[in-house]
Amino acid sequence: MADPLRFHFDFLSPYAYLAWKALPDLAARHDRPIEAVPVLLAALLHHHGNVGPAEVPAKRAYAFKDCLRHAHRMGVTLIPPPTHPFRPLLPLRICTLEMAPDTRHTLVSAFFDRAWAGGGGLEDTDAIDQIAGSHGVDHAVCRASEPTAKAVLRAHTERAIGAGVFGVPSVVVDDELFWGLDSFGHLDRHLAGDRPELDAHLSRWNGLSATATRTR
Amino acid sequence: MADPLRFHFDFLSPYAYLAWKALPDLAARHDRPIEAVPVLLAALLHHHGNVGPAEVPAKRAYAFKDCLRHAHRMGVTLIPPPTHPFRPLLPLRICTLEMAPDTRHTLVSAFFDRAWAGGGGLEDTDAIDQIAGSHGVDHAVCRASEPTAKAVLRAHTERAIGAGVFGVPSVVVDDELFWGLDSFGHLDRHLAGDRPELDAHLSRWNGLSATATRTR
């Protein structure tokens, strides 16, 4: 069976929401299953000593505009949640609970829409529990607060870091990483079999030494 | 006369090199002049408290691969310089000296090719002086070390920050910012007159408050 498109996401990211909207068409055209992998963006940033786009005011302003441009191009509704950044832990943990792949897919969609399609956001615990319940995931909030669910989200995030993931959305497929909605063109070509031989180049690049460093 | 495409760049960035290769076709199709604006990426990062892609090992490795994928798609030669990051100050300052627009364009191209098309890099002062001289820019290294040239590069960088620029490459045109090679699709649509009304959306986004912050 073909390797799935492992879609790493955090509900915080409007780029992840837009990419989630674009993914089904891409997957269908290349006959690949989708596997939704919740990860905690804050943990990725912390691990890598990186700064998130929402943490640099000028970049935050630009990212919002860039997302609206993408939404316009894609014909996708994009309405910000009541607050941002918000705490995404609970819905992320719920999405790691045991359930059928189809259920997970529609639940991820429902949470994404509640965050980014004018649905009222993801910080109302009762609403989140109700959404999960309407997808057949009972006692979701309660179960997501158990140590097991916490450990699964942590494990997802750590495995993602091991695969080179440093931000969201990131698709990992065939041991290749594609970061960001903007990488979907590359991903599309990869899935179509257009795979440039990069290893010789990369080994040269990765061996480069610096003659300038920035003090921070 | 139509507003020019103000292309903000630093020779350090392979994305800026690739975008510089893509720009003439885009500009010609929409009948816009190109204005090359050297800026110091390190100063942008410092001002914004941002972290450059080459400063996060996982992101650096990914960025190299992403650039090679773009180069493959575009049919552009991309060979890393002898060292990276390197000190880009001297060639950037030379590109701010007084010269005809056409000369500046070809000189920027020559320096970019020396950095990213297997040309031996930009840290050999004699070679840099010779390249500038062959474009009719005499005593380039000497003049670029004068306070005036230093002040012009600083002024370019500060004006860019004022326009919302936080990274390179960035194109500013019609008071709009387009960051990164990946934004050229948006830029193309903008120049073709496809300009979504974003102001109402953006004012809502920019007024969002946070319910989560990350401690660093």
Side-chain angles (χ1 to χ4, degrees):
Chain A
M1 186 168 151
D3 202 38
L5 304 176
R6 283 181 199 83
F7 181 82
H8 297 71
F9 70 94
D10 184 322
F11 291 115
L12 265 188
S13 164
Y15 287 109
Y17 162 78
L18 293 168
W20 181 250
K21 294 285 182 190
L23 197 62
D25 176 59
L26 191 66
R29 275 191 291 120
H30 300 288
D31 201 18
R32 297 277 193 145
I34 294 171
E35 191 181 308
V37 185
V39 294
L40 190 63
L41 174 59
L44 295 178
L45 296 174
H46 179 78
H47 173 87
H48 290 293
N50 201 0
V51 172
E55 296 174 327
V56 175
K59 197 167 182 177
R60 174 182 158 100
Y62 179 81
F64 285 169
K65 185 176 267 199
D66 188 49
C67 283
L68 286 168
R69 286 171 176 158
H70 278 296
H72 171 74
R73 168 181 66 80
M74 297 164 65
V76 167
T77 300
L78 179 64
I79 298 169
T83 62
H84 191 272
F86 55 83
R87 288 175 56 84
L89 265 176
L90 179 62
L92 287 174
R93 283 175 182 156
I94 289 175
C95 289
T96 68
L97 297 175
E98 272 208 34
M99 63 188 88
D102 283 0
T103 303
R104 196 182 318 277
H105 193 101
T106 56
L107 186 58
V108 169
S109 294
F111 284 152
F112 259 133
D113 285 350
R114 196 167 158 94
W116 295 105
L122 291 175
E123 295 195 299
D124 177 339
T125 306
D126 291 345
I128 285 176
D129 208 40
Q130 203 179 333
I131 290 170
S134 74
H135 286 77
V137 182
D138 293 330
H139 311 294
V141 169
C142 174
R143 288 161 61 207
S145 309
E146 290 174 343
T148 316
K150 296 184 181 182
V152 174
L153 182 60
R154 257 199 312 273
H156 277 325
T157 306
E158 277 159 23
R159 200 154 47 228
I161 289 169
V165 172
F166 54 87
V168 291
S170 285
V171 173
V172 176
V173 60
D174 309 328
D175 290 322
E176 291 286 346
L177 171 64
F178 298 86
W179 171 57
L181 176 60
D182 286 324
S183 75
F184 273 29
H186 293 325
L187 174 57
D188 196 21
R189 282 182 290 277
H190 168 86
L191 295 173
D194 180 9
R195 301 174 192 184
E197 181 44 65
L198 303 179
D199 286 353
H201 288 280
L202 281 173
S203 67
R204 183 168 170 183
W205 285 62
N206 292 330
L208 283 182
S209 62
T211 45
T213 52
R214 205 165 62 90
T215 51
R216 279 186 261 156
Chain B
M1 186 169 151
D3 202 39
L5 304 176
R6 284 181 198 83
F7 181 82
H8 297 71
F9 70 95
D10 184 323
F11 291 115
L12 266 187
S13 165
Y15 287 108
Y17 162 78
L18 293 168
W20 181 250
K21 294 287 183 191
L23 197 61
D25 177 59
L26 191 65
R29 275 191 291 119
H30 299 288
D31 201 18
R32 297 276 193 148
I34 294 171
E35 191 181 309
V37 185
V39 294
L40 189 63
L41 174 60
L44 294 178
L45 296 174
H46 180 77
H47 172 87
H48 290 293
N50 201 0
V51 173
E55 296 174 328
V56 175
K59 197 167 182 178
R60 175 182 156 99
Y62 179 80
F64 285 168
K65 184 176 266 201
D66 188 49
C67 284
L68 285 168
R69 286 172 177 159
H70 278 296
H72 170 74
R73 168 181 66 82
M74 297 164 67
V76 167
T77 301
L78 179 64
I79 299 168
T83 63
H84 192 272
F86 55 83
R87 288 175 56 83
L89 266 177
L90 179 61
L92 287 174
R93 283 176 182 155
I94 290 176
C95 290
T96 68
L97 297 175
E98 272 207 34
M99 62 188 88
D102 283 0
T103 304
R104 197 182 318 277
H105 192 101
T106 55
L107 186 57
V108 169
S109 295
F111 284 151
F112 260 133
D113 284 351
R114 199 169 156 93
W116 295 105
L122 291 175
E123 295 195 299
D124 177 338
T125 306
D126 290 345
I128 285 176
D129 209 39
Q130 204 179 332
I131 291 171
S134 74
H135 286 76
V137 182
D138 293 329
H139 311 294
V141 168
C142 175
R143 288 161 62 206
S145 308
E146 290 174 341
T148 316
K150 296 184 180 180
V152 173
L153 182 61
R154 256 201 312 273
H156 277 326
T157 306
E158 278 160 21
R159 203 155 42 231
I161 289 169
V165 171
F166 54 87
V168 292
S170 284
V171 173
V172 177
V173 60
D174 308 329
D175 290 323
E176 292 285 347
L177 170 64
F178 298 87
W179 171 57
L181 176 61
D182 285 324
S183 74
F184 273 28
H186 292 326
L187 174 57
D188 196 20
R189 282 183 291 277
H190 168 86
L191 295 173
D194 180 8
R195 299 173 193 186
E197 181 45 64
L198 303 179
D199 287 354
H201 288 281
L202 282 174
S203 67
R204 182 168 171 181
W205 285 62
N206 293 329
L208 284 181
S209 62
T211 44
T213 52
R214 203 165 63 90
T215 50
R216 280 187 259 156

